Amino acid sequence: MLFLPESHGRFTVGATTFKLPVSTKVLGTANIHWHGHSDGGPSVIPALQLDEIVFTAYYPADVKGSNIKKGLDWLLRSIPVYPNAPLLRQRPTASPERTQARSETRPSSWPLVIFSHGLGGSRTAYSQVCTRLASSGRVVLAIQHRDGSGHAFISLTTGPRLYVREKDLIWTSDDEKTMINFRQQQLAFRRHEIYLAFRSFKQLIQDGYQGLSHGLQSIDKKSIDWSSWSSDVDTKAVECDKDVLLAGHSFGGATVASKPYLRNVQRLIPAMQFTILSTDPPADVSAPIPVHKALILDPWLEPIPSPGPSPPPYGSGDTLPQLLVINSEKFSLWKDHFARLIGVVQAWEPEKRRVLTILHSQHESFSDFPLLPLVSRRAARIVMDRIMELSEAFIDGSVDTFVDETATREMEIRIVGKKPDGSPQRQLVGESKDHHLLMAPPKTNPAASDASIPLFKSIGLSQAKAAEAAKNAKSANVLRNLIVSYDLAEAHLDEKQATVVTALAGQLAKTESVEPSEQAFAVKAILQGKLKSVDQVNAAVKYLEISKAPINELEFDTECGVGFSITSEELYDAVTSYIRENSVTGWSNLGSVISGVKASPALRWANPLEVKNAVEKAFTETFGAKEAAKPKAKDPKKEKAPQPTATASEADASSSSSNRKPVFEEGFLGALHKPGENPQTRPELREQHLRATDGQVWTRFPPEPNGYLHIGHSKAIFVNFGYAAHHGGKCYLRFDDTNPEKEEARYFESIIEVVRWLGFEPWKITYSSDYFDQLYDLAIELIKRDKAYVCHCTQEQIKADRGEKISAPKACVHRSRPIQESLDEFKKMTDGYYRPKEANLRMKMDLTDGNPQMWDLTAYRVLDATHHRTLDKWKIYPTYDYTHCLVDSIENISHSLCTTEFIASRQSYEWLCDALDVYKPRQSEFGRLNLQGTINSKRKILQLVDEGYVSGWDDPRLYTLIALRRRGVPPGAILSFVSTLGVSTAASNIQIARFEQTVRQYLEGSAPRLFMVMRPLKVIIENVPDDYLVIVDKPFHPKNPQLGSSQIPFTRTIYIDADDFRLEDSKDYFRLAPGKSVGLFQAPYPITCTSCKTDSVTGEVTEVFCRLEDSGTPPKPKAYIQWVAEHASSGSPVRIDETRIFHPLFKSDNPLAAVPDFKADINSNSMEVIKGAMVEISFWPLAKRSIADALEEARARSAKSKAIPGAGSHGADTPEITPEQLVGKECVRFQGLRVAYLAVDSDSRLGALEEPSDVTPGFRQGDYLVLNRIASLKEDVGKGM
């Protein structure tokens, strides 16, 4: 007999098959023909008759000293396990001496896995999956389903039974007589089997083999070491009370992907009839299984009725398990099925779900069949290895790291031909030999949302609105549940009502505080016509969040404007009263009065147009008719850098438009606690904090000084500085300088400069090292409270103790050492007695908690490094996990705002503050900002720099903030971009195009416009004299006269762009060609081409000769082009040495998915250099004025900041950023008309910018002018004509 491949895990694997006789029970409405009774004729028996439960347990086995023969035979192979071997129970021993490392660790209780097989499978058909899980330290119960889905089994009452086919079925009811209907009944049958198996096994573990309640027997009458399955007084043999993993393949995937297996879901809406998804566990069987994770292998969802499976709404006490779906290539190419799968998993929170496809895998790749001896292929073994590596990474909580380190890419599907039936032949993109490639579905999958569109249209939404409603997974899930729960498809809603229901779903998706009964009340109000607008729905949800059932209908109607009415006379009286009470002075207050009247509680629900008309009428009668606005003077406008968020009004201005709430008052930021509302262990701590802060908002931006800031940091800067400023508070810039091995002085200076360049002035600049003495004293106190201990384990041992490859952590051997011993050892650490990694101070936290951040984190470690500030004073340095919360506490931070990757750290953050009984700030997490098609990793950017792909950290193709600054992106545009995205707990994964669009919008009204030709073509106007000169007065911006104007020469010789001339004319071409006229922007007359000169070798046009149409009635041009004139005495034109056009550095939106690494995705044509472009002569005064204005603004801002008592204070060793450092050549920005937005690059040498202000600027000897393209212009249809 040949063996299947060995598992090669840490533990030897045993296998024992159990059976559980149960009272016969018939489920479903189908019978089958049976040929097994005594008279030999056919008989009819129930198709789904439950009389016995059978499952095989795979587990770590104790085979030392035994003579058990290896091998469990089945079909053509033998499974490499030890049948009926005892469960491994012996525990490792370890010396308390720090020098003796333990050879292995095991969990105190083995974690439990329940596996459900697919059609044609069995308890042994997936032995590779089960044995590999068991060999890594788990007990796996592989259920043998007796529902007719396996290839064969022997029933306790009917004997041998085979796979049930549709032709075998005899229906006993009026049910739909289809195989799919039978599959749905099989799902219910399987659910009973799983619960009964779990209940009996749990009772065996709890009560022991001598207990009578479990009822389990050996299926083969062979001896079983029942005692090994019994729990000790202190230790359970198998953990059945928490963290169970459900797994299944194909039909088994449909079986286990079910909501009922979760805790605390008994109060869910019972109307959601999605087979096993939302029905409760069988009342006579078991309580819910405590599922922590669900591993679904290539699930087959067809038997589950649409639109499920999709978890119904759940309350704050309910949790969905983490979910990993591993698909085969075929099932991912099954378009409708895959769309449904994506629709299903979108019910899970994004951070709790993963769907991955293994390229070149088959549906059967998850079973043993491709690995059978004589038929096994290397490709099948590789696929199985990848399936198991991915599965174990998911179980261990490291799937994100695994995927990041594996060849992975976003899934792309290509149509490569047609099938014989004419349908499209679809193929996943990937190399044919790459069996390791994982493919994730696109982040936005239209097919997934398409599945919901017909349901949404059924309530009255148009196609467009239904498609829009399906885009957001969370609100779409709520909308689906509302439609099904309240039969809205049969409610005959009109489109307006359907829109209001959609708005309700959107609001409910943002809160967990509205119970099902309260949701029902809101839906009823919509159906009754009470809630007719989105504003009313928003008010209703806010009311229901704080007012629980039973609802006071009168109060609800008042809050939501139900039945509101007001006469025009009453409205006018209310407006005049408002004007009188608020001492309004005239028409300049019109906008604020309209807003104020609308905001008053009594008029909240008044018609906005009627309010506006009433206010204007009152103004006219009170202040007289409105006068026309006087034209503004054409004074040159100074370029304004973004204002520092020193006050709430300034923060508002930078973050919102006048017709919407500031970003700091809505969503995530609007829901933050008020100062003092964060809970404390003692009231005195709160009182001390409020006295120190005067009840203000105090925040901090705490970067690590080990790299340059990137675009993602701009959101954190905006949130922390902006939120404090909006509320009149203060924000620290605090350097987390606890790792001297990676910190460099250049990063400190760069970070301060970038923060101030963005327009923010820190209240104080501090360092974690400022508090090293206090932190050390607190560590001593922590040890004295028996909340910390010194550990001498190796790094590998610490990782193993904390649960590496094992689900539960184990206590360190040093954890119980006496307090005084830890104090003495900590003193040795401080005195330099130990080398790095020989000793660590670890916090004594909670190893029973499910959060790894509570598993005895390190507080101090030994580092042999010189600190940039404390030099060699310290031999030990605190960790981030220890330092961060305590320095927040010391600095009296009211709002510790960070990104969502620190959610798990919140618990340890609060634990440490409480353990030391110090003031505890409140940590709140927002989603980070990511730009697609970019890389922000310090290590990867350093590779690009070192290997010459980019010129440095400030290369304009990068998205570090110093690179964006050099490119010419205004700081205000970055803040505008962040503000418009809003702040929520969801990560913002934004396309580069959206960022560039924001930059364009910002520059549209503020950038002066200059004539510019990228590829100059000389034009000679023949009918004017050589000294012909007209000075043209040209505005810098046609719609913004405040930017001023310039005077440029128009002469006999001008230059146009080569693209604006064509030798061969055509009907659809309106620019210059032989015999054709064209207008010149701002020039007095059009020109007509009379002839041209070409190069005799290349045939390219070198000169064009034209006639100025300055006599008679000039022809009316159909197009205008830009130009620059040659005029030596004025220095026109300005010649540009280099114009650098930047394209995306990477070819795809996800460079990290490139194979073999991100560098394979680099765009070799990411920078284009054009030499010899020309720009109008007014560039020189504009450049000098731009630098002067920016410098004046920076100096004023610095002076204003220093004038505030206590503000801006910092140590003498903190880099001093001068106003001059905030102003660079990039401040010279303009729009090259019909070309692009451009800025001067730092490589430029411009002598005029170094001269006194009274010296006329111009070209100087040695000048070298380089321009960077900031962003392209919007598509200009006229240019193509």
Side-chain angles (χ1 to χ4, degrees), residues 152 739 1001 1117 1132:
N739 189 357
Q1001 291 172 345
S1132 178

Side-chain angles (χ1 to χ4, degrees), residues 632-930:
K632 295 181 180 179
K634 292 186 177 181
D635 294 334
K637 181 180 178 183
K638 295 181 179 181
E639 182 194 42
K640 287 190 176 181
Q643 296 296 314
T645 53
T647 66
S649 61
E650 289 169 337
D652 291 352
S654 71
S655 65
S656 64
S657 59
S658 60
N659 61 351
R660 64 168 278 193
K661 276 186 176 182
V663 68
F664 306 109
E665 294 180 5
E666 60 184 7
F668 168 81
L669 294 175
L672 293 177
H673 67 282
K674 293 182 175 60
E677 289 183 351
N678 40 319
Q680 305 298 326
T681 55
R682 294 181 288 115
E684 294 83 2
L685 296 176
R686 179 184 295 104
E687 294 165 4
Q688 292 168 9
H689 165 71
L690 291 175
R691 282 197 300 271
T693 63
D694 199 24
Q696 294 179 329
V697 169
W698 281 19
T699 63
R700 81 289 171 272
F701 173 59
E704 295 179 72
N706 60 2
Y708 294 101
L709 302 183
H710 54 72
I711 184 68
H713 289 108
S714 65
K715 182 174 183 179
I717 295 171
F718 172 81
V719 168
N720 281 285
F721 282 93
Y723 184 76
H726 180 78
H727 292 283
K730 299 169 182 175
C731 183
Y732 287 86
L733 170 57
R734 182 207 307 153
F735 289 105
D736 179 28
D737 57 340
T738 57
N739 189 357
E741 294 178 329
K742 295 185 178 180
E743 294 154 6
E744 296 183 33
R746 57 175 174 158
Y747 299 135
F748 289 92
E749 183 170 346
S750 173
I751 290 170
I752 298 173
E753 185 174 326
V754 163
V755 169
R756 294 197 61 207
W757 174 73
L758 283 173
F760 299 105
E761 296 292 340
W763 162 245
K764 294 180 187 298
I765 299 175
T766 61
Y767 303 78
S768 293
S769 56
D770 291 338
Y771 309 102
F772 275 1
D773 288 320
Q774 289 168 268
L775 293 171
Y776 181 78
D777 292 340
L778 288 171
I780 296 292
E781 179 63 26
L782 198 65
I783 298 172
K784 290 179 178 179
R785 293 178 179 225
D786 199 21
K787 297 292 186 182
Y789 61 95
V790 173
C791 165
H792 298 287
C793 295
T794 64
Q795 296 300 303
E796 293 73 20
Q797 189 62 56
I798 291 174
K799 289 179 181 178
D801 280 350
R802 295 190 79 248
E804 186 182 42
K805 294 294 181 183
I806 300 176
S807 296
K810 187 172 182 63
C812 168
V813 294
H814 308 99
R815 198 174 198 262
S816 57
R817 74 190 320 166
I819 290 174
Q820 187 57 49
E821 187 177 321
S822 280
L823 289 171
D824 294 341
E825 290 296 311
F826 190 49
K827 180 67 165 56
K828 287 183 179 180
M829 288 174 59
T830 308
D831 293 341
Y833 180 81
Y834 293 112
R835 299 293 300 161
K837 299 183 180 180
E838 288 184 349
N840 300 281
L841 181 68
R842 295 176 65 185
M843 294 176 275
K844 190 181 293 187
M845 305 170 85
D846 184 0
L847 297 179
T848 65
D849 194 286
N851 183 356
Q853 286 298 106
M854 292 297 291
W855 296 349
D856 289 11
L857 300 177
T858 299
Y860 269 88
R861 75 278 201 209
V862 178
L863 290 180
D864 187 11
T866 298
H867 193 274
H868 71 106
R869 300 182 75 237
T870 62
L871 303 181
D872 296 322
K873 176 181 177 180
W874 296 95
K875 302 299 182 185
I876 58 172
Y877 291 93
T879 61
Y880 173 88
D881 292 304
Y882 176 79
T883 305
H884 187 62
C885 58
L886 294 181
V887 176
D888 277 357
S889 176
I890 294 168
E891 291 186 341
N892 270 296
I893 300 303
S894 63
H895 295 74
S896 181
L897 305 175
C898 57
T899 47
T900 50
E901 59 261 44
F902 295 101
I903 286 178
S905 298
R906 187 200 308 163
Q907 188 176 355
S908 58
Y909 181 109
E910 295 178 349
W911 176 91
L912 183 53
C913 291
D914 288 344
L916 287 166
D917 196 26
V918 297
Y919 162 70
K920 178 173 58 185
R922 167 67 179 178
Q923 177 179 300
S924 302
E925 306 87 9
F926 57 89
R928 68 186 301 166
L929 169 60
N930 299 306

Side-chain angles (χ1 to χ4, degrees), residues 202-222:
K202 179 179 178 181
Q203 289 171 340
L204 168 65
I205 299 301
Q206 289 180 345
D207 302 340
Y209 68 100
Q210 293 179 338
L212 301 177
S213 57
H214 62 80
L216 292 173
Q217 304 172 9
S218 170
I219 195 170
D220 51 14
K221 304 299 182 182
K222 292 182 180 179

